[in-house]
Amino acid sequence: MSHSALSSLTLLVVEDEPLVAMSIEDTLEEMGVRIVGPAGSVSKALGLVESGGFDAALLDVNLRGERVDAVADRLAAGGIPFVFTTGHGADGLPENHRGRPVLPKPFTDSDLVRALSRHILSAGA
């Protein structure tokens, strides 16, 4: 996977932990990925989804105790590919989206790049 393939992406980042969000942003911006967000709440994420302007999303499953099910549902309805991030395993995923790709926390920069390459670029984003 080349960095140039990722550089064509605009990615919505939904993450409530500021240090994790900054790390994701730093890693991806170094490769030319444009970032929308990060959104640290479901309401902010839904607003960004409505505004559009991104190709795919990275969704933390739990935002300060609030589940991202509504965000995942909106993305799926719009045909926008996304990868969940979670430290709780597949059992913590929204029931309607258990088949979606998951990037387990904690993850490394290379894990993040691999997940986006495998699940987002291969989906045609």
Side-chain angles (χ1 to χ4, degrees):
M1 187 266 334
S2 73
H3 291 181
S4 62
L6 281 178
S7 70
S8 66
L9 267 182
T10 300
L11 186 74
L12 169 64
V13 175
V14 179
E15 171 61 57
D16 64 339
E17 293 295 331
L19 292 177
V20 174
M22 287 183 348
S23 176
I24 291 169
E25 284 181 285
D26 289 348
T27 298
L28 296 178
E29 286 175 345
E30 285 177 18
M31 288 181 253
V33 176
R34 288 170 301 286
I35 302 295
V36 173
S41 69
V42 169
S43 62
K44 182 171 181 184
L46 288 171
L48 291 172
V49 170
E50 293 306 311
S51 296
F54 58 91
D55 306 303
L58 193 64
L59 296 182
D60 185 358
V61 172
N62 185 325
L63 302 174
R64 302 197 196 299
E66 193 176 9
R67 294 179 52 87
V68 296
D69 300 39
V71 180
D73 290 345
R74 291 255 181 96
L75 291 169
I80 298 169
F82 58 93
V83 174
F84 286 114
T85 64
T86 183
H88 303 289
D91 291 341
L93 297 180
E95 196 166 317
N96 293 341
H97 301 285
R98 292 256 164 102
R100 298 279 179 176
V102 177
L103 178 58
K105 286 182 174 180
F107 53 84
T108 65
D109 292 349
S110 55
D111 293 335
L112 173 61
V113 170
R114 252 192 318 278
L116 292 177
S117 178
R118 182 177 303 129
H119 301 297
I120 301 298
L121 292 179
S122 66

